Amino acid sequence: MHFDNVVFSGGGNRCFWQAGFWSVASAALDLKPSDVASVSAGSAIACTLFAGTFAEGFAGHKQAIAENGRNLYLRNMLQKRPVFPHGNLYRNAILGSINEVALKRLHQGPEICVLVSRPPLWASRRMALLLGALAVGLDACNSRAVDTSMGRRIGFNPLFISVRECATPDELADLIIASSCVPPLTPQAMRNGVALFDGGLVSNVPTEGVPQENAETLVLLTRPFAKLPSIRGHTYVQPSQPIPASVWDYTDDAALQATFDLGRRDAERWTRSLSQPNGVESVSCG
């Protein structure tokens, strides 16, 4: 089975399911896409996978999570230090996976475009934060939808940035964190003086970031849905059950491993099912 494109959707810690799935499916099917679109934590997963450094980065990140006791450190307010550990842990995980050699390898691989959200031109930074929170809340009320859309309706604009524009590992970390930017959990991301936010505000499944014409696209979701889209040329895969890891829980390393393992099992089941012709393009791993 051939795929020209792969899309890594967002989902925080749930994206480790994508890593498990890809590690099995790519080897079984010899998948070598030419274009990749990603958003939020899906961008971190995509970059480490195609740089060939996921395993070592995952081990280091799990160790850091195991040593982190809380998701909130109120005492840090008195010391003018970050109350939430997520920003530092996230950056360290990226830089622990991507060094100069890995970045060069990444540049030589498929074109990877990372989605970020730009706020409306008329909105101040504080107003953009409030609008972003409103969009997230409204999208949560429509949990049956595979993709998000409320942020775009409110006025946030999509911006795809190629990983090849990142000259250093730090620049890549900045881009990935911008695509995942949810203040105050993460620092506010800036680009050319403009505040950037989580790309999931405009699309949590950024299929528009890859070529559409005469192309086959594999879309990796991060949570199960009752009904998947039926779009010619798009194959959707999803977890067979609710994922063990919570989106922003940075204290449970065992849940991260369980999420990765679920992705591997689902990919094994999926690749076996491909030998049974069924004529469908949207596939559930369940």
Side-chain angles (χ1 to χ4, degrees):
M1 196 169 190
H2 172 75
F3 291 104
D4 308 280
N5 311 318
V6 180
V7 174
F8 288 78
S9 60
N13 286 329
R14 297 198 306 256
C15 293
F16 285 107
W17 179 88
Q18 297 171 328
F21 189 94
W22 183 260
S23 67
V24 170
S26 62
L29 302 178
D30 192 27
L31 300 180
K32 296 178 180 178
S34 56
D35 289 273
V36 176
S38 62
V39 64
S40 195
S43 300
I45 297 299
C47 287
T48 56
L49 287 173
F50 287 101
T53 57
F54 173 79
E56 58 192 272
F58 189 37
H61 184 56
K62 284 189 296 181
Q63 181 62 37
I65 294 301
E67 295 172 357
N68 177 54
R70 301 179 182 178
N71 287 309
L72 177 67
Y73 292 87
L74 290 175
R75 65 175 181 271
N76 285 358
M77 294 179 66
L78 302 176
Q79 304 171 14
K80 296 184 178 180
R81 296 170 56 193
V83 173
F84 297 97
H86 303 75
N88 288 334
L89 288 170
Y90 197 8
R91 176 174 285 275
N92 290 341
I94 298 166
L95 295 178
S97 303
I98 307 289
N99 57 19
E100 295 285 352
V101 175
L103 182 62
K104 184 177 180 179
R105 217 164 32 238
L106 198 58
H107 287 171
Q108 294 171 344
E111 178 78 60
I112 302 176
C113 289
V114 176
L115 176 62
V116 298
S117 295
R118 293 180 298 180
L121 294 177
W122 48 264
S124 66
R125 193 183 305 177
R126 180 173 295 183
M127 176 63 73
L129 281 171
L130 293 174
L131 290 173
L134 175 63
V136 169
L138 291 174
D139 278 322
C141 293
N142 187 23
S143 59
R144 291 178 297 177
V146 171
D147 200 4
T148 54
S149 61
M150 193 53 65
R152 197 182 298 239
R153 295 181 186 180
I154 288 175
F156 284 86
N157 297 296
L159 174 64
F160 283 97
I161 301 174
S162 172
V163 164
R164 292 175 183 169
E165 293 185 27
C166 300
T168 67
D170 277 300
E171 288 184 9
L172 178 65
D174 289 340
L175 174 59
I176 293 173
I177 292 174
S179 183
S180 311
C181 183
V182 186
L185 288 177
T186 65
Q188 178 62 66
M190 302 292 295
R191 181 182 174 87
N192 299 327
V194 177
L196 300 178
F197 294 89
D198 190 331
L201 289 175
V202 291
S203 178
N204 202 46
V205 187
T207 55
E208 65 198 79
V210 293
Q212 302 295 315
E213 190 172 352
N214 299 321
E216 292 293 328
T217 300
L218 177 64
V219 183
L220 306 180
L221 303 176
T222 58
R223 63 187 179 92
F225 294 89
K227 184 177 181 180
L228 295 174
S230 180
I231 301 173
R232 180 175 294 277
H234 288 58
T235 299
Y236 290 79
V237 292
Q238 64 177 354
S240 59
Q241 62 190 60
I243 283 179
S246 298
V247 176
W248 285 106
D249 182 5
Y250 275 31
T251 65
D252 191 348
D253 59 305
L256 302 187
Q257 184 64 53
T259 297
F260 177 82
D261 293 341
L262 175 63
R264 288 185 59 86
R265 293 194 301 273
D266 285 343
E268 290 167 356
R269 197 155 46 239
W270 181 66
T271 54
R272 286 197 302 268
S273 74
L274 295 179
S275 62
Q276 304 170 5
N278 52 26
V280 299
E281 292 185 333
S282 294
V283 180
S284 169
C285 293

